[in-house]
Structure formats: C-alpha cells, structure tokens
Amino acid sequence: MATVELQNLGKTFGEFTALESLDLAIDDGEFLVLLGPSGCGKSTTMRMVAGLEEPTQGDILIGGERVNDKPARDRDLAMVFQNYALYPHMTVGENIGYPLKIAGLSKSDRQERVRAAAAKVEMEQLLTRRPAELSGGQRQRVALARAIVRTPRLFLMDEPLSNLDAKLRTVMRAELKHLQKELATTTIYVTHDQVEAMTLADRIVILNDACIQQVGTPAEIYARPANTFVAGFIGSPPMNLIRGTLKDGTFTHSGGALQLNGPDGEMYLGIRPEDVTVAGGSGDLQGTVYSSELLGDSTLLNVHVGEALVAAKVGPDDGRVMDSDITLAINHGKLHLFDAHSGERLS
C-alpha cells in the first residue's frame, strides 16, 4: 500500500518534450487514470514511475520515499501490459507464479499463493493450460493474477484492455474495478479510451501536449470541463462547441442567434448531446439533418447549424430524414462557455 507523489516531473528526448513539469499526488488505495491522446505523455509518466525511464527533472516518491535512483525491481510494483507478456511455454500456473519463483519462494508457498491469485480472477480451473489455449480475456486474467500474486504496493496498468473486443472490454472493466477495490492497492492506469477512464477511475488526470489539462473525479470533469480540449475529449459523443459572440445577452453564431447569460466577448458555447432535444415548435437552433443513427435505446442526430455540426442524443422515435429542416431546443441550465482564444472555461 502506498501513496505516490510526482514533483515537478519532466522528461525530454533531445529537443522533444515528452512531459513538462508534472505535479501530482496519488492517495493510498486510489485508482488514478492517466487519460489523453497518443503522444500526450501518459505512458512516459508511467514508465518513469516504474523505473523504466529516467526523469530529466523532478522527483518520484512512493510511500514517502524518493525512488528516482532505485531500479525497477526494487520499487515493489507490478505492471500489466497491453500485450499480456505471457510465457508461451509455461502453464497458466507457472506464468502466475513466476514472480514468486524469481523471489525465491518455496514450491509449496508458490502453489498456495498462485491458487489464491487465480481464484480472484476466476482462473483456478485452468492452471494447467498454456496461453495458446486461452481466449484474450482469459490471458488478460492471467496477466492480472501474475501482477497481484506478489501483493505489491502499487499496480501500473498500460492500456491492458485495448486488445479485447468491445463486449469483453465491458466485462473486464467491471471485473478490474471490483478487483482493485477488493485489494485496495494504489493503481495508476493509462488509457486513451475516455469510457474506460470514466468507468474505472476514482480520479482522472487528462493530459495533452505533455501537460495536465485537468484533474478531478469523472463526475467533476464531465460536469465542468476546464477547457475546450477536455470538453471535446470527454463524452460519447463529445460536447458540441459552437463558436460565436456574446453581447448584451445575445449569442450570435453562424447559424443564427439565441438569448444567453454570460460575459460579453468571443467564445465557444458548449452543449452536451443529451442536453439537446427536438423542438416541437420554436427552439434555440435551426439547422439541417446531416445524419440520423438509431442506437437502440436512443437516436443520434447530427445537425448542420450554420458552420457547426451539432450532435443531439434524442429518443429512439425521434429520428429524422437526412437533409430535412429541424429545430433544436437546448437545456439552458447545463450550458458551458469557453473563451474563444484561450479555450479556458468562463462559466
């Protein structure tokens, strides 16, 4: 069990800055997700915590101890990778118990702990099989069991579910969340998938261009994104952003105008797709249907409103014919305003 502190942590490769002066404190037992697009610095951060990369600047503290100069094997952590990294010539039991064998535990002690770890991931009946005989989900369970068998003080997980199909990812997310809470082990999880981040995390750290964009709980980040990058990255579909000018309570944009409270100036109006409905009469936005997609429990409408393409998540019976005219109403109690130049949140 351990807290993790990253103090002014940075990494450069020649003239390229992979991570720029990151400060972060992770609580004991917390499930923290590093989220962002490719190249944002999230994997670099994890590799430095793991001891696989040396920081250019700053300090890494695990359990209050500075570990910058400690090799990876002495940091008492376990990693779970995207590609599982299982030994094909070993059985499931041998793969799970390998870290214990390296640590010098007796065979009887290894067998007992392997069975206990396998039971936690529901693999105790498959200990004699080899990786080639397992499905993708079963291989991922073996990788998780191998990580927990040593009872490390810190888990590091680098996109461990990305090789699974969509249905299996949903199942494994639930199992992973339950397992982490049961073990109460501090976990740093890297992903570019915002659905994974929202469903798994106690807190999310959103990175872009080697810098932190926002830190908060999933609910906080969804309800109050700090800037247009976060607003456009979180949510499925992401938040609509309509550029315009607000003056004297009127927001004017390329598709018309609407009454709005806020400071005067150029800005982006942010609207979540679920806060947009089809208006029966007069509404806030007039446009033309670009596409109408039935999702089963809802319909996703994409509507051209001036130069903007506005997504609306409406009822399953609210589909519309392509290229037809439509009027949309928005929930004025859930609007977001961002500065047009800096992208920072205004209200």
Side-chain angles (χ1 to χ4, degrees), residues 162-181:
S162 60
N163 282 346
L164 306 180
D165 62 52
K167 183 178 180 180
L168 191 52
R169 275 201 305 273
T170 301
V171 173
M172 286 300 297
R173 279 202 308 265
E175 293 184 357
L176 190 57
K177 178 84 168 179
H178 181 83
L179 179 63
Q180 194 271 338
K181 291 304 175 190

Side-chain angles (χ1 to χ4, degrees), residues 70-124:
K70 270 195 169 187
R73 65 178 179 273
D74 296 331
R75 296 191 184 189
D76 191 18
L77 51 83
M79 289 193 72
V80 181
F81 298 97
Q82 175 181 346
N83 62 359
Y84 319 139
L86 301 179
Y87 296 106
H89 63 286
M90 293 183 181
T91 65
V92 166
E94 290 168 343
N95 266 284
I96 295 172
Y98 188 70
L100 303 179
K101 184 177 181 180
I102 294 298
L105 268 71
S106 68
K107 185 174 182 179
S108 59
D109 286 344
R110 290 203 309 268
Q111 288 176 338
E112 183 178 340
R113 288 175 64 172
V114 164
R115 281 195 296 270
K120 287 187 182 298
V121 296
E122 300 179 4
M123 291 292 290
E124 65 268 37

Side-chain angles (χ1 to χ4, degrees), residues 265-283:
E266 290 184 51
M267 63 189 63
Y268 285 99
L269 171 62
I271 318 164
R272 291 280 181 203
E274 60 268 28
D275 296 325
V276 184
T277 57
V278 177
S282 61

Side-chain angles (χ1 to χ4, degrees), residues 188-305:
I188 302 175
Y189 187 103
V190 163
T191 185
H192 65 274
D193 185 333
Q194 55 99 10
V195 174
E196 275 185 24
M198 293 291 288
T199 53
L200 288 172
D202 294 322
R203 279 192 306 155
I204 300 173
V205 178
I206 299 182
L207 294 160
N208 189 43
D209 293 335
C211 296
I212 289 180
Q213 302 295 313
Q214 188 171 1
V215 181
T217 66
E220 289 168 349
I221 288 175
Y222 192 82
R224 291 186 62 82
N227 53 43
T228 51
F229 173 79
V230 176
F233 197 77
I234 292 291
S236 182
M239 184 182 290
N240 299 298
L241 295 169
I242 302 174
R243 182 163 183 154
T245 303
L246 182 59
K247 185 176 181 181
D248 298 331
T250 300
F251 180 74
T252 306
H253 57 98
S254 62
L258 59 98
Q259 300 305 301
L260 200 64
N261 293 322
D264 289 353
E266 290 184 51
M267 63 189 63
Y268 285 99
L269 171 62
I271 318 164
R272 291 280 181 203
E274 60 268 28
D275 296 325
V276 184
T277 57
V278 177
S282 61
D284 299 294
L285 302 170
Q286 287 75 41
T288 304
V289 175
Y290 179 73
S291 66
S292 179
E293 304 169 17
L294 179 62
L295 305 177
D297 63 338
S298 62
T299 295
L300 179 62
L301 294 177
N302 285 291
V303 178
H304 270 303
V305 178

